[in-house]
Amino acid sequence: MFGVVGCALCVVGSIDIVLHAPMERKIDSVSEIWQLATEPGFIVYSCLAVALALVLMFWVVHHTEQRKMLAYVAICSLFGSLTVISVKAVAIALKLSFNGVNQFVYIQTWFFISVVIICCLVQLNYLNKALDSFNTAVVAPVYYVMFTTLTILANMIMYKDWDSQNATQIASEVCGFVTIVAGTFLLHKTRDMGNTQPDSDSLRADCELQEHS
């Protein structure tokens, strides 16, 4: 029952976000993304994200044990938000190149490719550390929430898609996101509830052991 409710919450929240999502800005070249990425707002966000990730990597992780999971997940999420932006640039470069407009002659394209590779390697490293050290049922929902929140924030700063929306539309999207978060936590917290009872083979083995003793 909890699994059904969790899935229903995720579906309802996703539909709500899709129905009220802002219109995506049309990008026709890597140069346009580079122009957006070099605006002061996104440069400030990128510098803060990298600086905070470095502090977490070289200080927080080595000086705390209780919050190490949050540090691992925060590192993955901060680099993940930059990865999403760079992946979109690479995807546009591939699409335009396949259509006959080669985008790989620009240094910006290779810069975005380098960012994708570096950020993905960092995310894989620290996500594996988090999963090896802590319960997946705890890591997965926290990572989902933090990664999604920072990715939305990065896109808001860079593309400014929400400038054309009113308060009602923004509130509906926030409610949809909170609904998805609630469903995700519910699914992960209750996924092992049906596996707590011992199976019949274990009960039979226990009975045979008691009879022989």
Side-chain angles (χ1 to χ4, degrees):
M1 182 59 68
F2 285 111
V4 174
V5 174
C7 290
L9 288 174
C10 292
V11 171
V12 171
S14 300
I15 293 175
D16 186 29
I17 290 179
V18 171
L19 291 177
H20 298 91
M23 294 296 295
E24 187 176 7
R25 179 182 298 190
K26 185 177 180 181
I27 305 295
D28 296 322
S29 67
V30 176
S31 300
E32 291 185 35
I33 296 185
W34 180 257
Q35 184 177 0
L36 293 172
T38 52
E39 290 185 355
F42 189 74
I43 290 178
V44 171
Y45 171 81
S46 300
C47 293
L48 289 176
V50 173
L52 181 57
L54 292 176
V55 170
L56 293 171
M57 291 166 61
F58 296 106
W59 190 80
V60 176
V61 169
H62 301 289
H63 290 80
T64 181
E65 289 293 334
Q66 297 178 348
R67 301 178 181 177
K68 186 173 286 188
M69 188 205 73
L70 290 177
Y72 288 152
V73 174
I75 293 169
C76 296
S77 302
L78 289 167
F79 278 102
S81 63
L82 300 177
T83 304
V84 172
I85 300 296
S86 302
V87 166
K88 184 172 183 178
V90 175
I92 291 174
L94 288 172
K95 183 184 70 172
L96 294 175
S97 298
F98 286 141
N99 291 333
V101 184
N102 187 10
Q103 297 292 307
F104 290 92
V105 297
Y106 302 110
I107 190 65
Q108 293 93 332
T109 303
W110 295 104
F111 174 81
F112 285 122
I113 292 175
S114 301
V115 172
V116 170
I117 295 174
I118 294 173
C119 290
C120 285
L121 291 176
V122 173
Q123 290 177 78
L124 288 173
N125 181 33
Y126 283 93
L127 185 58
N128 284 331
K129 289 183 178 181
L131 294 175
D132 289 339
S133 305
F134 303 95
N135 190 353
T136 306
V138 178
V139 175
V142 174
Y143 176 60
Y144 172 80
V145 173
M146 198 175 294
F147 171 79
T148 307
T149 302
L150 290 174
T151 301
I152 292 174
L153 178 62
N155 279 274
M156 286 174 56
I157 295 173
M158 181 169 175
Y159 295 107
K160 302 178 179 65
D161 291 332
W162 286 10
D163 290 347
S164 60
Q165 290 195 303
N166 54 40
T168 303
Q169 292 174 314
I170 295 176
S172 299
E173 294 168 16
V174 172
C175 291
F177 177 65
V178 173
T179 304
I180 295 175
V181 170
T184 303
F185 270 93
L186 185 62
L187 285 172
H188 283 278
K189 287 294 183 181
T190 61
R191 66 176 185 174
D192 294 329
M193 290 181 62
N195 298 326
T196 56
Q197 296 180 353
D199 55 13
S200 58
D201 293 336
S202 299
L203 291 175
R204 190 180 302 109
D206 292 339
C207 292
E208 293 177 355
L209 182 61
Q210 291 178 1
E211 289 177 358
H212 287 297
S213 60

